Structures are given as structure tokens and as C-alpha cells.
Amino acid sequence: MTITFQPGPGSQYLNQTVYTFPAPAGWTSNRAPDQEVPSVTLTSVAQLGAGQSLTLDGVFAGTAADNQFGTFTVGVTIGATSASFMINTPSAFPV
């Protein structure tokens, strides 16, 4: 799974990309925590069988509450299959 951030108009952090975080349990990261980088790739240490799923929990990347406006793009690759989707920065911190 690769996460990238594209700042939008009005973002206080026009040069900021993804601020990295420790990899959640069961995942590894290609970046050390506490860095601002163009993208971060998380890799599951578990192998998936047909019909199985993985949960990625505890990843937080930023909100519009601290003037970080933009779009996160999340790309997921499993074997030869890949997909991506875009998520706008949420308007508030998670509760």
C-alpha cells in the first residue's frame, strides 16, 4: 500500500507531503517515522490466501483541522492486481 499526499489550494503546508508514522503491527514501512516524504509504502508481513483480507488500523496522516488541505492517494497492490483511490483530508481529527 502506497500513500501519497497532494496539497490543495489554501493548504498551509504547500511543500508538505506525507508525514510518516510508525508502521502498524503486522506491517513494515519503507520510511523511518517522523519524516516528511513524497510517499510512504506499507507492506503487510502476512501472506494472503484466496478470499482472505487484511486490516490496516491506526494510520493517521493529517486533517484540514490543522490547515492541511489536499488529497491523499492510496494505492494497493496484491500480486498482479492493483487499485487506487483518493481521500480528501478530513475536516476534523479522529475521535
Side-chain angles (χ1 to χ4, degrees):
M1 172 183 301
T2 301
I3 303 170
T4 58
F5 177 70
Q6 178 62 50
S11 179
Q12 178 178 334
Y13 305 101
L14 293 177
N15 295 322
Q16 184 172 353
T17 52
V18 176
Y19 187 76
T20 61
F21 32 78
W27 295 77
T28 61
S29 175
N30 70 330
R31 305 286 186 178
D34 301 326
Q35 295 181 353
E36 293 180 13
V37 294
S39 67
V40 61
T41 299
L42 300 173
T43 304
S44 170
V45 297
Q47 292 188 351
L48 280 181
Q52 291 182 314
S53 63
L54 286 174
T55 300
L56 177 61
D57 191 19
V59 171
F60 171 72
T63 73
D66 57 359
N67 293 321
Q68 182 183 15
F69 300 100
T71 305
F72 291 96
T73 302
V74 179
V76 180
T77 302
I78 300 174
T81 303
S82 64
S84 66
F85 53 95
M86 299 171 79
I87 305 168
N88 290 327
T89 46
S91 60
F93 291 100
V95 289

